[in-house]
Every structure is written in C-alpha cells, then in structure tokens.
Amino acid sequence: MLETAKQIVKHVYPFVCVNRHDIFKGDVTSLQLSKYLDLHPAHVPYVTATIIYLLEADGYVSKPLREYGGIRKCLH
C-alpha cells in the first residue's frame, strides 16, 4: 500500500502544483486535497500530507501560520 501511495504522489504532484489555486480556496487542507483527488481512504493520510509538505518545500504553500490557527495558505 505504501508503494502505491508513493506512486500516486509521484504522478499527481505536478498536476496539483499547476492546479493548486483551483484545489485550495485560500486555506490548504488535507480534506480539500483528498476531495479533489478522490483518493481511496487508505491512501489519504500519506498522499495528502506528502503533497502538502512538498508544496511547502517548493514555496507554493506557507508554513502553518499561528495567526490563522495553524492553517497553511496558498502562495503566488
């Protein structure tokens, strides 16, 4: 199952980068991403967390902001 989730991240991440403003309406959450991707429940925790951390590392998403209750925001 972990290998399948890794493959999902590998293939879906470029798509998410391009469409991040359509996927995330202001706040960046795992729930929004899982609804958009329509993932199997077993893959949701790993895939959504990994993609959000990759978006943060690449500068597309903010770090969790204290003033917004720990929510990440979409950048540029």
Side-chain angles (χ1 to χ4, degrees):
M1 181 178 78
L2 185 57
E3 284 304 314
T4 303
K6 286 180 181 179
Q7 289 299 316
I8 292 170
V9 170
K10 179 181 174 182
H11 294 291
V12 169
Y13 182 70
F15 174 77
V16 173
C17 284
V18 171
N19 295 298
R20 65 189 179 278
H21 292 291
D22 295 330
I23 298 169
F24 304 112
K25 305 297 183 205
D27 296 344
V28 177
T29 65
S30 292
L31 181 62
Q32 289 174 321
L33 185 56
S34 65
K35 284 182 178 179
Y36 191 83
L37 297 176
D38 194 29
L39 296 169
H40 186 279
H43 296 129
V44 168
Y46 178 83
V47 171
T48 58
T50 303
I51 288 175
I52 289 172
Y53 288 132
L54 289 171
L55 287 168
E56 181 183 314
D58 290 341
Y60 295 120
V61 169
S62 72
K63 293 188 179 304
L65 301 173
R66 186 176 314 183
E67 59 268 20
Y68 295 117
I71 301 294
R72 290 175 167 84
K73 298 289 184 179
C74 231
L75 303 172
H76 48 95

